[in-house]
Coordinates of all heavy atoms in Angstrom, one line a residue:
M1 N 0.8 -1.2 0.0 CA 0.0 0.0 0.0 C 0.9 1.2 0.0 O 1.8 1.3 0.7 CB -0.9 0.0 1.2 CG -1.8 1.1 1.2 SD -2.7 1.5 2.7 CE -3.8 0.3 3.0
R2 N 0.5 2.2 -0.8 CA 1.3 3.4 -1.0 C 0.6 4.5 -0.3 O -0.6 4.7 -0.4 CB 1.4 3.6 -2.5 CG 2.5 4.5 -2.8 CD 2.7 4.6 -4.3 NE 2.9 6.0 -4.6 CZ 2.8 6.5 -5.8 NH1 2.4 5.8 -6.8 NH2 3.1 7.8 -6.0
T3 N 1.4 5.4 0.4 CA 0.8 6.5 1.1 C 1.0 7.8 0.3 O 2.0 7.9 -0.5 CB 1.5 6.8 2.5 OG1 2.9 7.0 2.3 CG2 1.3 5.6 3.4
S4 N 0.1 8.7 0.4 CA 0.2 9.9 -0.3 C 1.2 10.8 0.2 O 1.3 11.0 1.5 CB -1.2 10.6 -0.3 OG -1.1 11.9 -0.9
V5 N 2.0 11.4 -0.6 CA 3.1 12.3 -0.1 C 2.5 13.7 0.3 O 2.9 14.3 1.2 CB 4.1 12.5 -1.2 CG1 5.2 13.5 -0.8 CG2 4.7 11.2 -1.6
N6 N 1.4 14.1 -0.4 CA 0.9 15.5 -0.1 C -0.1 15.5 1.0 O -0.5 16.6 1.5 CB 0.1 15.9 -1.4 CG 1.1 16.1 -2.6 OD1 2.3 16.5 -2.3 ND2 0.6 15.9 -3.8
R7 N -0.6 14.4 1.5 CA -1.6 14.4 2.6 C -0.9 14.4 3.9 O 0.0 13.6 4.2 CB -2.4 13.1 2.5 CG -3.6 13.2 3.3 CD -4.5 11.9 3.1 NE -4.5 11.3 4.4 CZ -4.5 10.0 4.6 NH1 -4.6 9.2 3.5 NH2 -4.6 9.5 5.8
P8 N -1.3 15.4 4.8 CA -0.7 15.5 6.1 C -1.2 14.3 7.0 O -2.3 13.8 6.8 CB -1.2 16.8 6.6 CG -2.4 17.1 5.9 CD -2.2 16.5 4.5
P9 N -0.5 14.0 8.0 CA -0.9 12.9 8.9 C -2.1 13.3 9.7 O -2.3 14.5 10.0 CB 0.3 12.7 9.8 CG 1.1 13.9 9.7 CD 0.8 14.5 8.4
T10 N -3.0 12.4 10.0 CA -4.2 12.6 10.8 C -3.8 12.7 12.3 O -3.1 11.8 12.8 CB -5.2 11.5 10.6 OG1 -5.4 11.3 9.2 CG2 -6.5 11.8 11.3
P11 N -4.2 13.8 13.0 CA -3.8 13.9 14.4 C -4.6 12.9 15.2 O -5.7 12.5 14.9 CB -4.3 15.4 14.7 CG -5.3 15.7 13.7 CD -5.0 14.9 12.5
D12 N -3.9 12.5 16.3 CA -4.5 11.5 17.2 C -5.5 12.2 18.1 O -5.4 13.4 18.4 CB -3.4 10.9 18.1 CG -2.5 10.0 17.3 OD1 -2.9 9.5 16.2 OD2 -1.3 9.9 17.7
D13 N -6.5 11.5 18.6 CA -7.4 12.1 19.5 C -6.8 12.5 20.8 O -7.2 13.5 21.4 CB -8.6 11.1 19.8 CG -9.5 10.9 18.5 OD1 -9.5 11.8 17.7 OD2 -10.1 9.8 18.4
A14 N -5.8 11.7 21.3 CA -5.1 12.0 22.5 C -4.4 13.3 22.5 O -4.4 14.1 23.4 CB -4.1 10.9 22.9
V15 N -3.8 13.6 21.3 CA -3.1 14.9 21.1 C -4.1 16.1 21.2 O -3.8 17.1 21.8 CB -2.3 14.9 19.8 CG1 -1.7 16.3 19.6 CG2 -1.2 13.8 19.8
E16 N -5.2 15.9 20.6 CA -6.3 17.0 20.6 C -6.8 17.2 22.0 O -7.0 18.3 22.4 CB -7.4 16.6 19.6 CG -7.0 16.7 18.2 CD -8.2 16.2 17.3 OE1 -9.3 15.9 17.8 OE2 -8.0 16.2 16.0
E17 N -7.0 16.1 22.7 CA -7.5 16.2 24.1 C -6.5 16.9 25.0 O -6.8 17.8 25.8 CB -7.8 14.9 24.7 CG -9.1 14.2 24.1 CD -9.3 12.8 24.7 OE1 -8.7 12.5 25.7 OE2 -10.1 12.1 24.1
Q18 N -5.2 16.6 24.8 CA -4.2 17.3 25.5 C -4.1 18.7 25.2 O -3.9 19.6 26.1 CB -2.8 16.6 25.2 CG -1.7 17.1 26.1 CD -0.4 16.5 25.8 OE1 -0.3 15.7 24.8 NE2 0.6 16.7 26.6
E19 N -4.2 19.1 24.0 CA -4.2 20.5 23.6 C -5.4 21.3 24.2 O -5.3 22.4 24.7 CB -4.2 20.7 22.1 CG -2.9 20.3 21.4 CD -3.0 20.3 19.9 OE1 -4.1 20.6 19.4 OE2 -2.0 20.1 19.3
D20 N -6.6 20.6 24.3 CA -7.8 21.2 24.9 C -7.6 21.4 26.4 O -8.0 22.5 27.0 CB -9.0 20.3 24.7 CG -9.5 20.4 23.2 OD1 -9.1 21.3 22.5 OD2 -10.2 19.4 22.9
Q21 N -6.9 20.5 27.1 CA -6.7 20.6 28.5 C -5.7 21.7 28.8 O -5.7 22.4 29.8 CB -6.1 19.3 29.1 CG -7.2 18.2 29.1 CD -6.7 16.9 29.6 OE1 -5.4 16.7 29.8 NE2 -7.5 15.9 29.9
E22 N -4.7 21.9 27.9 CA -3.7 23.0 28.1 C -4.3 24.3 27.9 O -3.9 25.3 28.6 CB -2.6 22.8 27.0 CG -1.7 21.6 27.3 CD -0.6 21.4 26.2 OE1 -0.6 22.2 25.3 OE2 0.2 20.5 26.3
K23 N -5.4 24.5 27.1 CA -6.0 25.7 26.9 C -6.9 26.1 28.1 O -7.2 27.3 28.4 CB -6.9 25.7 25.7 CG -6.1 25.6 24.4 CD -7.0 25.5 23.2 CE -6.2 25.2 21.9 NZ -7.0 25.0 20.8
Q24 N -7.4 25.1 28.9 CA -8.3 25.4 30.0 C -7.4 26.0 31.2 O -6.3 25.5 31.4 CB -9.0 24.1 30.5 CG -9.9 23.6 29.4 CD -10.6 22.3 29.9 OE1 -10.2 21.7 30.9 NE2 -11.5 21.8 29.1
P25 N -7.9 27.0 31.8 CA -7.2 27.6 33.0 C -7.1 26.6 34.1 O -8.1 25.8 34.4 CB -8.0 28.8 33.3 CG -9.3 28.6 32.8 CD -9.2 27.7 31.6
T26 N -6.1 26.7 34.9 CA -5.9 25.8 36.1 C -6.8 26.4 37.2 O -7.3 27.5 37.1 CB -4.5 25.7 36.5 OG1 -4.0 27.1 36.9 CG2 -3.6 25.2 35.4
L27 N -6.9 25.6 38.3 CA -7.7 26.1 39.4 C -7.1 27.3 40.0 O -7.8 28.3 40.4 CB -7.8 25.0 40.5 CG -8.6 25.3 41.7 CD1 -10.0 25.6 41.4 CD2 -8.5 24.1 42.7
Q28 N -5.7 27.4 40.1 CA -5.0 28.5 40.6 C -5.3 29.8 39.8 O -5.6 30.9 40.3 CB -3.5 28.3 40.7 CG -2.7 29.4 41.2 CD -1.3 29.1 41.3 OE1 -0.8 28.0 40.9 NE2 -0.5 30.0 41.8
E29 N -5.3 29.6 38.5 CA -5.6 30.8 37.6 C -7.1 31.2 37.7 O -7.3 32.4 37.8 CB -5.3 30.4 36.1 CG -3.9 30.1 35.8 CD -3.6 29.5 34.4 OE1 -4.6 28.9 33.9 OE2 -2.5 29.7 33.9
I30 N -8.0 30.3 37.9 CA -9.4 30.7 38.1 C -9.6 31.4 39.4 O -10.3 32.5 39.4 CB -10.3 29.4 38.1 CG1 -10.3 28.7 36.7 CG2 -11.7 29.7 38.5 CD1 -10.9 27.4 36.6
I31 N -9.0 30.9 40.5 CA -9.1 31.6 41.7 C -8.5 33.0 41.7 O -9.1 34.0 42.2 CB -8.4 30.8 42.9 CG1 -9.2 29.5 43.1 CG2 -8.3 31.6 44.1 CD1 -8.5 28.5 44.0
N32 N -7.3 33.1 41.0 CA -6.7 34.4 40.9 C -7.6 35.4 40.1 O -7.7 36.6 40.5 CB -5.3 34.3 40.2 CG -4.4 35.5 40.3 OD1 -4.5 36.2 41.3 ND2 -3.6 35.7 39.4
I33 N -8.2 35.0 39.0 CA -9.1 35.8 38.2 C -10.2 36.3 39.1 O -10.6 37.5 39.1 CB -9.5 35.1 37.0 CG1 -8.4 34.9 36.0 CG2 -10.7 35.8 36.3 CD1 -8.7 33.9 34.9
K34 N -10.9 35.4 39.8 CA -12.0 35.7 40.7 C -11.6 36.7 41.8 O -12.4 37.7 42.0 CB -12.6 34.5 41.3 CG -13.2 33.5 40.4 CD -14.5 34.0 39.8 CE -15.0 32.9 38.8 NZ -16.2 33.3 38.2
L35 N -10.4 36.6 42.4 CA -10.0 37.5 43.4 C -9.8 38.9 42.8 O -10.1 39.9 43.4 CB -8.7 37.0 44.1 CG -8.9 35.8 45.0 CD1 -7.5 35.3 45.5 CD2 -9.7 36.2 46.2
I36 N -9.2 38.9 41.6 CA -8.9 40.2 41.0 C -10.3 40.9 40.6 O -10.4 42.1 40.9 CB -8.0 40.1 39.8 CG1 -6.6 39.7 40.2 CG2 -8.0 41.3 38.9 CD1 -5.7 39.3 39.1
E37 N -11.2 40.2 40.0 CA -12.5 40.7 39.6 C -13.2 41.3 40.8 O -13.9 42.3 40.7 CB -13.3 39.7 38.9 CG -12.8 39.3 37.5 CD -13.6 38.2 36.9 OE1 -14.4 37.5 37.6 OE2 -13.4 37.9 35.7
S38 N -13.2 40.6 41.9 CA -14.0 41.1 43.1 C -13.2 42.1 43.9 O -13.8 42.7 44.8 CB -14.2 39.9 44.0 OG -13.1 39.4 44.6
G39 N -11.9 42.4 43.6 CA -11.2 43.4 44.4 C -10.6 42.8 45.7 O -10.0 43.5 46.4
E40 N -10.9 41.6 45.9 CA -10.5 40.9 47.2 C -9.0 40.7 47.2 O -8.4 40.8 48.3 CB -11.2 39.6 47.3 CG -11.2 39.0 48.7 CD -12.0 39.8 49.7 OE1 -12.8 40.7 49.3 OE2 -11.8 39.6 50.9
K41 N -8.3 40.5 46.1 CA -6.9 40.3 46.0 C -6.1 41.5 46.6 O -5.2 41.4 47.4 CB -6.4 40.0 44.6 CG -4.9 39.7 44.6 CD -4.5 39.3 43.2 CE -3.0 38.9 43.3 NZ -2.5 38.4 42.0
E42 N -6.5 42.7 46.2 CA -5.8 43.9 46.7 C -6.1 44.1 48.2 O -5.1 44.5 48.9 CB -6.4 45.1 45.9 CG -5.6 46.4 46.3 CD -4.1 46.3 46.0 OE1 -3.7 45.7 45.0 OE2 -3.3 46.9 46.8
R43 N -7.3 43.8 48.7 CA -7.5 43.9 50.1 C -6.7 42.9 50.9 O -6.1 43.2 51.9 CB -9.0 43.6 50.4 CG -9.4 43.9 51.8 CD -10.9 43.5 52.1 NE -11.0 42.0 52.1 CZ -10.6 41.3 53.2 NH1 -10.1 41.8 54.2 NH2 -10.8 40.0 53.2
L44 N -6.6 41.7 50.4 CA -5.7 40.7 51.0 C -4.3 41.0 51.0 O -3.6 40.8 52.0 CB -5.9 39.3 50.4 CG -7.3 38.6 50.6 CD1 -7.4 37.4 49.7 CD2 -7.5 38.3 52.0
M45 N -3.8 41.6 49.9 CA -2.4 42.1 49.9 C -2.1 43.2 50.9 O -1.1 43.2 51.5 CB -2.1 42.5 48.5 CG -2.0 41.4 47.4 SD -0.8 40.2 47.7 CE 0.7 41.1 47.3
E46 N -3.1 44.1 51.0 CA -2.9 45.2 52.0 C -2.9 44.6 53.4 O -2.1 45.1 54.3 CB -4.0 46.2 51.8 CG -3.9 47.4 52.6 CD -2.6 48.2 52.3 OE1 -2.2 48.2 51.2 OE2 -2.0 48.7 53.3
L47 N -3.8 43.7 53.7 CA -3.8 43.1 55.0 C -2.5 42.3 55.3 O -2.0 42.4 56.4 CB -5.0 42.1 55.1 CG -5.2 41.3 56.4 CD1 -5.5 42.3 57.5 CD2 -6.3 40.3 56.3
L48 N -2.0 41.7 54.3 CA -0.7 41.0 54.5 C 0.4 42.0 54.8 O 1.2 41.8 55.7 CB -0.4 40.2 53.2 CG 1.0 39.5 53.2 CD1 1.0 38.4 54.4 CD2 1.2 38.8 51.9
R49 N 0.4 43.1 54.1 CA 1.5 44.1 54.3 C 1.4 44.6 55.7 O 2.4 44.8 56.4 CB 1.3 45.3 53.3 CG 1.8 45.1 52.0 CD 1.7 46.3 51.1 NE 1.7 46.0 49.7 CZ 0.6 45.9 49.0 NH1 -0.5 46.3 49.4 NH2 0.7 45.6 47.7
E50 N 0.1 44.9 56.2 CA -0.1 45.4 57.6 C 0.4 44.4 58.6 O 1.1 44.8 59.6 CB -1.5 45.8 57.8 CG -2.0 47.0 57.0 CD -3.5 47.1 57.1 OE1 -4.2 46.4 58.0 OE2 -4.1 48.0 56.4
R51 N 0.1 43.2 58.4 CA 0.5 42.2 59.4 C 2.0 42.0 59.4 O 2.6 41.7 60.5 CB -0.2 40.8 59.1 CG -1.7 40.9 59.2 CD -2.1 40.7 60.6 NE -3.5 41.0 60.8 CZ -4.5 40.0 60.8 NH1 -4.2 38.8 60.6 NH2 -5.7 40.3 61.0
L52 N 2.6 42.0 58.3 CA 4.1 41.9 58.2 C 4.8 43.0 58.9 O 5.8 42.8 59.6 CB 4.6 41.7 56.8 CG 4.2 40.4 56.1 CD1 4.7 40.4 54.6 CD2 4.9 39.2 56.8
I53 N 4.2 44.2 58.8 CA 4.8 45.4 59.4 C 4.6 45.3 60.9 O 5.5 45.5 61.7 CB 4.2 46.7 58.9 CG1 4.7 46.9 57.4 CG2 4.6 47.9 59.7 CD1 4.0 48.0 56.7
E54 N 3.4 44.9 61.4 CA 3.0 44.7 62.8 C 4.0 43.7 63.5 O 4.4 44.0 64.6 CB 1.6 44.2 63.0 CG 0.6 45.3 62.7 CD -0.9 44.7 62.8 OE1 -1.0 43.5 63.2 OE2 -1.8 45.4 62.4
C55 N 4.3 42.6 62.9 CA 5.1 41.6 63.5 C 6.6 41.9 63.4 O 7.4 41.2 64.0 CB 4.8 40.2 63.0 SG 5.4 39.9 61.3
G56 N 7.0 42.9 62.7 CA 8.4 43.3 62.6 C 9.1 42.6 61.5 O 10.4 42.7 61.4
W57 N 8.5 41.8 60.6 CA 9.2 41.1 59.6 C 9.9 42.0 58.6 O 11.0 41.7 58.2 CB 8.1 40.2 58.8 CG 8.7 39.4 57.8 CD1 9.3 38.2 57.9 CD2 8.8 39.7 56.4 NE1 9.8 37.7 56.7 CE2 9.5 38.6 55.7 CE3 8.4 40.8 55.6 CZ2 9.7 38.6 54.4 CZ3 8.7 40.8 54.2 CH2 9.3 39.7 53.6
K58 N 9.2 43.1 58.2 CA 9.8 44.0 57.3 C 11.1 44.6 57.8 O 12.1 44.7 57.1 CB 8.8 45.1 57.0 CG 9.3 46.1 55.9 CD 8.2 47.1 55.6 CE 8.7 48.2 54.6 NZ 7.7 49.2 54.4
D59 N 11.1 45.0 59.1 CA 12.4 45.6 59.7 C 13.5 44.5 59.8 O 14.6 44.8 59.6 CB 12.1 46.1 61.1 CG 11.1 47.3 61.0 OD1 11.1 48.0 59.9 OD2 10.3 47.5 61.9
E60 N 13.1 43.3 60.1 CA 14.1 42.2 60.2 C 14.7 41.9 58.8 O 15.9 41.7 58.7 CB 13.4 40.9 60.7 CG 13.0 40.9 62.1 CD 12.3 39.7 62.5 OE1 12.3 38.6 61.8 OE2 11.6 39.7 63.6
M61 N 13.9 42.0 57.7 CA 14.4 41.7 56.4 C 15.4 42.9 56.0 O 16.4 42.6 55.4 CB 13.3 41.6 55.4 CG 12.5 40.3 55.5 SD 13.6 38.9 55.2 CE 13.6 38.1 56.8
K62 N 15.0 44.1 56.4 CA 15.9 45.2 56.1 C 17.2 45.1 56.8 O 18.3 45.3 56.2 CB 15.3 46.5 56.5 CG 14.2 47.1 55.6 CD 13.8 48.4 56.1 CE 12.7 49.0 55.3 NZ 12.2 50.3 55.8
A63 N 17.2 44.7 58.0 CA 18.4 44.5 58.8 C 19.3 43.3 58.2 O 20.5 43.5 58.1 CB 18.1 44.2 60.2
L64 N 18.6 42.2 57.8 CA 19.4 41.1 57.2 C 20.0 41.6 55.9 O 21.2 41.2 55.6 CB 18.5 40.0 56.9 CG 18.1 39.1 58.2 CD1 17.0 38.1 57.8 CD2 19.3 38.4 58.7
C65 N 19.3 42.3 55.1 CA 19.9 42.8 53.8 C 21.0 43.8 54.1 O 22.0 43.7 53.3 CB 18.8 43.5 53.0 SG 17.6 42.4 52.3
R66 N 21.0 44.6 55.0 CA 22.1 45.5 55.3 C 23.3 44.7 55.7 O 24.4 45.1 55.3 CB 21.7 46.4 56.5 CG 20.7 47.5 56.1 CD 20.5 48.5 57.2 NE 19.5 49.5 56.8 CZ 18.4 49.8 57.5 NH1 18.3 49.2 58.7 NH2 17.5 50.6 57.1
F67 N 23.2 43.7 56.5 CA 24.4 42.9 56.9 C 24.9 42.0 55.8 O 26.1 41.7 55.8 CB 24.1 42.1 58.1 CG 23.9 43.0 59.4 CD1 22.7 43.0 60.0 CD2 24.9 43.8 59.8 CE1 22.5 43.8 61.2 CE2 24.8 44.6 60.9 CZ 23.6 44.6 61.6
S68 N 24.0 41.6 54.9 CA 24.5 40.6 53.9 C 25.0 41.3 52.6 O 25.7 40.6 51.8 CB 23.4 39.6 53.6 OG 22.3 40.3 53.0
L69 N 24.6 42.5 52.4 CA 25.1 43.2 51.1 C 26.2 44.1 51.4 O 26.2 44.8 52.5 CB 23.9 44.0 50.5 CG 22.7 43.2 50.0 CD1 21.6 44.2 49.5 CD2 23.2 42.3 48.8
P70 N 27.2 44.2 50.6 CA 28.2 45.2 50.7 C 27.6 46.6 50.6 O 26.6 46.8 50.0 CB 29.2 44.9 49.6 CG 28.8 43.6 49.0 CD 27.4 43.3 49.4
S71 N 28.2 47.6 51.2 CA 27.6 48.9 51.3 C 27.5 49.5 49.9 O 26.5 50.2 49.7 CB 28.5 49.8 52.2 OG 29.8 49.9 51.7
H72 N 28.4 49.3 49.0 CA 28.3 50.0 47.7 C 27.1 49.4 46.9 O 26.4 50.1 46.1 CB 29.6 49.9 46.9 CG 29.9 48.5 46.4 ND1 30.5 47.6 47.3 CD2 29.8 47.8 45.3 CE1 30.7 46.4 46.7 NE2 30.3 46.6 45.4
V73 N 26.8 48.1 47.1 CA 25.6 47.5 46.5 C 24.3 48.0 47.1 O 23.4 48.3 46.4 CB 25.7 45.9 46.6 CG1 24.4 45.3 46.1 CG2 26.9 45.4 45.9
L74 N 24.3 48.2 48.4 CA 23.2 48.7 49.1 C 22.9 50.2 48.6 O 21.7 50.5 48.4 CB 23.4 48.7 50.6 CG 22.2 49.1 51.5 CD1 21.0 48.2 51.2 CD2 22.6 49.1 52.9
V75 N 23.9 51.0 48.5 CA 23.7 52.3 48.0 C 23.2 52.3 46.6 O 22.3 53.1 46.3 CB 25.1 53.1 48.1 CG1 25.0 54.4 47.3 CG2 25.5 53.3 49.5
S76 N 23.6 51.4 45.7 CA 23.1 51.4 44.4 C 21.7 51.0 44.3 O 20.9 51.5 43.6 CB 24.0 50.3 43.6 OG 25.3 50.7 43.5
L77 N 21.3 50.0 45.2 CA 19.9 49.6 45.2 C 19.0 50.7 45.7 O 17.9 50.9 45.2 CB 19.8 48.3 46.1 CG 20.3 47.0 45.6 CD1 20.2 45.9 46.7 CD2 19.5 46.6 44.4
L78 N 19.5 51.4 46.7 CA 18.7 52.5 47.3 C 18.5 53.6 46.2 O 17.4 54.2 46.1 CB 19.3 53.1 48.5 CG 19.2 52.2 49.8 CD1 20.1 52.8 50.9 CD2 17.8 52.0 50.2
F79 N 19.5 53.8 45.4 CA 19.4 54.8 44.4 C 18.4 54.4 43.3 O 17.6 55.2 42.8 CB 20.8 55.0 43.7 CG 20.8 56.1 42.6 CD1 20.6 57.4 43.0 CD2 21.0 55.7 41.3 CE1 20.6 58.4 42.0 CE2 21.0 56.7 40.3 CZ 20.8 58.0 40.6
V80 N 18.4 53.1 42.9 CA 17.5 52.6 41.9 C 16.1 52.7 42.5 O 15.1 53.1 41.8 CB 17.8 51.2 41.6 CG1 16.7 50.5 40.8 CG2 19.1 51.1 40.8
L81 N 15.9 52.4 43.8 CA 14.5 52.5 44.4 C 14.1 53.9 44.4 O 12.9 54.3 44.1 CB 14.5 51.9 45.8 CG 14.6 50.4 45.9 CD1 14.8 50.0 47.4 CD2 13.3 49.9 45.4
W82 N 15.0 54.8 44.7 CA 14.6 56.3 44.7 C 14.2 56.8 43.4 O 13.2 57.5 43.2 CB 15.8 57.1 45.3 CG 15.6 58.5 45.2 CD1 14.8 59.3 46.1 CD2 16.1 59.5 44.3 NE1 14.9 60.6 45.8 CE2 15.7 60.7 44.7 CE3 17.0 59.3 43.2 CZ2 16.0 61.9 43.9 CZ3 17.3 60.5 42.5 CH2 16.8 61.7 42.9
L83 N 15.0 56.3 42.3 CA 14.6 56.7 41.0 C 13.3 56.2 40.5 O 12.5 56.9 39.9 CB 15.7 56.3 40.0 CG 17.0 57.1 40.0 CD1 18.0 56.4 39.0 CD2 16.7 58.5 39.6
S84 N 13.0 54.9 40.9 CA 11.8 54.3 40.5 C 10.6 55.0 41.1 O 9.5 55.2 40.5 CB 11.7 52.8 40.8 OG 11.8 52.6 42.2
F85 N 10.7 55.4 42.4 CA 9.6 56.1 43.1 C 9.5 57.5 42.5 O 8.4 58.0 42.4 CB 9.8 56.1 44.6 CG 9.5 54.9 45.3 CD1 10.4 54.1 45.9 CD2 8.2 54.4 45.3 CE1 10.1 52.9 46.5 CE2 7.9 53.2 45.9 CZ 8.9 52.5 46.5
D86 N 10.6 58.1 42.2 CA 10.5 59.5 41.6 C 9.8 59.4 40.2 O 9.0 60.3 39.9 CB 12.0 60.0 41.4 CG 12.0 61.5 41.1 OD1 11.1 62.2 41.7 OD2 12.9 61.9 40.4
F87 N 10.1 58.4 39.4 CA 9.5 58.4 38.1 C 8.0 57.9 38.2 O 7.2 58.3 37.4 CB 10.2 57.4 37.2 CG 11.5 58.0 36.6 CD1 12.7 57.4 36.9 CD2 11.5 59.1 35.9 CE1 13.9 57.9 36.4 CE2 12.7 59.7 35.4 CZ 13.9 59.1 35.7
R88 N 7.7 57.2 39.2 CA 6.2 56.8 39.4 C 5.4 58.1 39.7 O 4.3 58.2 39.2 CB 6.1 55.8 40.5 CG 6.5 54.5 40.2 CD 6.2 53.5 41.4 NE 6.9 52.3 41.1 CZ 7.0 51.3 42.1 NH1 6.6 51.5 43.3 NH2 7.6 50.2 41.8
G89 N 6.0 59.0 40.4 CA 5.3 60.3 40.7 C 5.1 61.1 39.4 O 4.1 61.7 39.2
L90 N 6.1 61.0 38.5 CA 5.9 61.8 37.2 C 4.9 61.1 36.3 O 4.2 61.9 35.6 CB 7.3 61.8 36.5 CG 8.4 62.6 37.2 CD1 9.7 62.4 36.4 CD2 8.0 64.1 37.2
E91 N 4.7 59.8 36.4 CA 3.7 59.2 35.5 C 2.3 59.6 35.9 O 1.4 59.7 35.1 CB 3.8 57.7 35.7 CG 5.0 57.1 35.0 CD 5.2 55.6 35.2 OE1 4.3 55.0 35.9 OE2 6.1 55.0 34.8
N92 N 2.0 59.8 37.2 CA 0.7 60.2 37.6 C 0.3 61.6 37.3 O -0.8 62.0 37.3 CB 0.6 60.0 39.2 CG 0.7 58.5 39.5 OD1 0.4 57.7 38.7 ND2 1.1 58.3 40.7
E93 N 1.3 62.5 37.0 CA 1.0 63.9 36.7 C 0.6 64.1 35.3 O 0.6 63.4 34.4 CB 2.3 64.7 37.0 CG 2.6 64.7 38.5 CD 3.9 65.5 38.8 OE1 4.5 66.0 37.8 OE2 4.2 65.6 39.9

C-alpha cells in the first residue's frame, strides 16, 4: 500500500484532548481571576502588608539585607529604588 506524499498525517485524539486541556485555565488561575475581579486580592495584599509590618518582619528583612550586602551594592539599590519612586510620581502627573 502506498501513502500519499501530499496528505498530512491525521492527528491523534489524545493529542487533541491534551491541547484542549492545556487551553483550560488551572484552578489557581481561576481563583486568581475571581480574586482580581472582586477586588479581594488587593484587600488581602494590603492586610498581608499590615500584618508583616506589625510583627516586625519588614524591619528584620531590612536588617538582614544591610548585613548581607556590601555597602556599595546597598547604595546602588537605594538609588534605583529612589529613581523608580521618583518616576512613578511623574507618571501620575
Side-chain angles (χ1 to χ4, degrees):
M1 185 194 289
R2 199 172 139 200
T3 59
S4 172
V5 177
N6 295 329
R7 193 176 116 212
T10 308
D12 295 331
D13 291 334
V15 173
E16 289 178 2
E17 289 177 14
Q18 184 180 10
E19 289 175 356
D20 289 341
Q21 289 177 352
E22 289 175 0
K23 292 177 185 176
Q24 295 176 355
T26 63
L27 181 61
Q28 182 179 359
E29 292 170 337
I30 292 170
I31 292 172
N32 195 28
I33 290 169
K34 296 287 183 183
L35 286 172
I36 291 171
E37 287 175 352
S38 67
E40 197 68 15
K41 183 175 182 177
E42 186 59 37
R43 189 188 71 77
L44 289 171
M45 292 296 288
E46 187 60 35
L47 181 63
L48 177 62
R49 281 187 205 102
E50 290 173 8
R51 296 279 171 93
L52 289 174
I53 290 170
E54 285 174 8
C55 73
W57 181 84
K58 185 177 175 182
D59 296 329
E60 289 176 18
M61 288 298 110
K62 280 184 183 179
L64 284 173
C65 289
R66 284 187 188 129
F67 290 119
S68 64
L69 292 175
S71 61
H72 69 281
V73 174
L74 185 60
V75 169
S76 299
L77 287 173
L78 289 173
F79 182 69
V80 169
L81 284 172
W82 176 74
L83 284 177
S84 66
F85 283 115
D86 193 35
F87 285 120
R88 284 184 191 167
L90 292 176
E91 289 176 1
N92 294 335
E93 294 176 357

